[in-house]
Amino acid sequence: MEIKKILPPILVLIVFLFAWSFGASLYNMPFLLPNPLEVAQAFVTDFDMIAGGLWITFQEALYGYLLAISIGITSAAVMSQSKILERSFYPYAILLQTLPAVAVAPLIVLWFGFDMQSVVVISLIISLFPIINNTLLGLKSTSTNLVELFQMHNSSRVVNFFKLRLPAAIPHTIAGLRISAGLSVIGAIVGEFIIGSGSEGGGLGVMVIYAQADLQTALVIALILTATFLGFAFFISVTALGHRLLKHWHESEI
């Protein structure tokens, strides 16, 4: 059974690597399209540098993600308490989602400086909306029968929220966290592209800029793959957490 689960993605990976190698052999120009072996060699040769950049990007994405979780769930909880609050604040949450990070980068740099804080803020901005949107949807989707049952027992608003609405919203919140998990890494990389660094010692995004300038295409691809695996690790971690929380009672995980 386990072999049937892992065999299809392995076959897709093999076909992809074969097509990649074939395309690289047709180009025969490593500075445009290196083959997989050259990328693997770049991983080995520059492992220490890549690991250092990965650690920096991981911290930026993690801090941005944790801030997005705390702000997003809190904002959704506040807006769920009143239609007036939702109508007042939800449009601005949508505007935050459509806000171009490149356009506000000069302000972010002015306020937070050319360092990790600015990158964290950009990661926060990019990953925040899915958490707000999905959590708010979950809080508003509580079963009417359960709400009426709590009302029959004269439960307070606080009890209704923490013992009924919030637990019922967990599946929606987990869905939002899954989306934002990858977005937080994307936000960190975008932030590094925008904010930059004074040297090659920054995160993965900064290293990509310097490697591209030196036409080290194999290293560029290695850095991109590293960032991709980081986002995938974030997603898998949230998925595992969601499975533990939902596996005994929600249809999506049973």
Side-chain angles (χ1 to χ4, degrees):
M1 188 66 175
E2 292 298 325
I3 296 179
K4 291 183 179 180
K5 289 183 179 180
I6 65 174
L7 187 59
I10 290 177
L11 291 176
V12 170
L13 177 61
I14 292 173
V15 172
F16 171 74
L17 291 175
F18 176 79
W20 180 1
S21 300
F22 181 73
S25 65
L26 288 180
Y27 270 104
N28 196 27
M29 289 184 287
F31 66 92
L32 284 181
L33 183 62
N35 62 51
L37 290 178
E38 291 171 326
V39 175
Q41 184 178 1
F43 268 115
V44 175
T45 304
D46 299 299
F47 176 79
D48 291 340
M49 183 184 71
I50 294 174
L54 174 62
W55 174 243
I56 293 174
T57 302
F58 167 75
Q59 293 180 80
E60 294 164 346
L62 179 63
Y63 295 153
Y65 188 45
L66 292 178
L67 285 173
I69 292 173
S70 57
I71 295 174
I73 293 178
T74 302
S75 301
V78 171
M79 286 188 284
S80 70
Q81 299 305 305
S82 167
K83 283 291 184 182
I84 295 177
L85 289 174
E86 182 181 351
R87 294 193 188 103
S88 299
F89 293 104
Y90 189 69
Y92 297 102
I94 299 175
L95 289 177
L96 184 66
Q97 172 70 6
T98 60
L99 185 69
V102 176
V104 298
L107 284 176
I108 293 175
V109 172
L110 181 64
W111 293 335
F112 298 98
F114 284 95
D115 52 22
M116 181 183 292
Q117 292 181 357
S118 296
V119 180
V120 170
V121 170
I122 294 177
S123 177
L124 163 65
I125 291 173
I126 292 179
S127 61
L128 180 59
F129 180 75
I131 299 175
I132 294 178
N133 184 68
N134 285 47
T135 302
L136 182 60
L137 176 62
L139 292 171
K140 293 168 56 180
S141 301
T142 309
S143 171
T144 304
N145 293 332
L146 292 176
V147 173
E148 292 176 351
L149 178 63
F150 271 63
Q151 290 175 346
M152 288 174 57
H153 289 82
N154 297 320
S155 298
S156 65
R157 180 184 289 268
V158 175
V159 172
N160 285 349
F161 179 80
F162 284 102
K163 291 193 174 182
L164 176 59
R165 293 187 181 275
L166 190 59
I170 289 177
H172 292 82
T173 301
I174 293 296
L177 293 179
R178 286 174 179 170
I179 298 171
S180 294
L183 291 178
S184 65
V185 178
I186 293 174
I189 297 296
V190 170
E192 290 172 349
F193 281 161
I194 297 172
I195 305 303
S197 175
S199 66
E200 299 182 41
L204 295 174
V206 174
M207 291 181 178
V208 166
I209 295 174
Y210 281 92
Q212 179 194 23
D214 294 336
L215 293 180
Q216 296 178 287
T217 310
L219 179 57
V220 170
I221 296 176
L223 292 166
I224 292 173
L225 289 176
T226 303
T228 302
F229 292 143
L230 177 60
F232 185 72
F234 271 45
F235 179 86
I236 291 298
S237 300
V238 174
T239 300
L241 174 62
H243 177 71
R244 288 182 63 86
L245 292 174
L246 304 175
K247 65 180 180 179
H248 295 300
W249 63 277
H250 197 262
E251 295 83 355
S252 63
E253 297 291 347
I254 294 178

